Amino acid sequence: MPQRVRFSLNRFAEPTLPDGSPQVRYGVLEGDALFETRTPSSEDKGAAYRMKDVRLLPPCWPSKIVGIGRNYREHASELGNPLPPEPLIFLKPPSSLVAHGDNIIYPTISARVDYEGELGVVIGKRARLVRPQEAESYILGYTCVNDVTARDLQRRDGQFTRGKGFDTFCPVGPWIVPRQEVQFERLRIRTLVNGQLKQDAPVQEMIFPVGAIIAFVTQFMTLEPWDLIATGTPAGVGPLEPGDVVRVEIEGIGVLENKVVRG
């Protein structure tokens, strides 16, 4: 199964750019071989690399990250919230993105930071006023997301921007699996903290399915290629502490793992 990745060569293999940022490359991972491609979605295969010689970056760099709140009944119930009559939308800034293996920074101004394992949808082409039955054609593929949330700040503010917007609060990856390769009805989200299972639910339990979400969002917001939708988290959310390792697994998609460090 091919997987789309963004990556840089290890620092010792190639210099960084003048501003100190890594050389960003695109590729497709097939088995144990990573082949460079000219563009994020091209089928050509260039130089081959070993995984130990590269650093995976967030697989997409979206203009916006659209989050869906309370999209699983049991999760809404565990937070004491009513079910939304339509998709509950919030935004996370692109500055919150980090890759598989990067650290989640626990902010000093929060006393309660939660994990939220989610299925991520990556948009493949400009989408505006999309009908639900057409939505699948706008999907490039799927990835794993951890919608990290400062729960105390979210409750204090009464809205989601600050609690979900911290730098490092959107781990994504490790790659994008093209939609044509995904058996959607078999997808299941599992979140583990220090090896202990915390969340486990099929994505079929979403209140609003992916097609309905894309149709709803594109009635008022144009989605651009590589934009990311975090489709909501199942029940079982809970707190993280510095030193914890949180792992989001979606069989058929991948494993996203990050360590929590003190800010």
Side-chain angles (χ1 to χ4, degrees), residues 138-181:
Y138 289 85
I139 298 171
L140 174 67
Y142 299 95
T143 190
C144 303
V145 176
N146 189 349
D147 176 24
V148 183
T149 303
R151 192 73 67 198
D152 54 343
L153 302 184
Q154 179 189 18
R155 289 171 173 158
R156 184 188 308 169
D157 294 347
Q159 50 85 23
F160 296 178
T161 303
R162 183 167 63 144
K164 291 178 176 285
F166 283 91
D167 292 354
T168 76
F169 268 28
C170 192
V172 178
W175 40 63
I176 301 166
V177 178
R179 63 177 171 83
Q180 298 89 342
E181 305 290 334

Side-chain angles (χ1 to χ4, degrees), residues 10-68:
N10 283 340
R11 292 182 182 275
F12 297 108
E14 180 169 295
T16 57
L17 296 172
D19 65 358
S21 60
Q23 295 272 16
V24 177
R25 297 167 181 259
Y26 303 96
V28 60
L29 184 63
E30 296 185 356
D32 295 327
L34 195 163
F35 297 94
E36 187 174 353
T37 60
R38 287 179 298 172
T39 67
S41 56
S42 61
E43 300 297 329
D44 62 294
K45 294 180 183 177
Y49 300 95
R50 297 173 299 177
M51 288 299 291
K52 71 176 186 177
D53 294 328
V54 306
R55 175 178 179 264
L56 293 183
L57 304 174
C60 59
W61 198 262
S63 68
K64 50 195 165 294
I65 303 164
V66 180
I68 310 299

Side-chain angles (χ1 to χ4, degrees), residues 12 22 50 52 84 86 91 141 146 185 196 246:
F12 297 108
R50 297 173 299 177
K52 71 176 186 177
E86 57 187 13
L91 295 176
N146 189 349
E185 66 281 359
Q196 294 187 343
V246 57

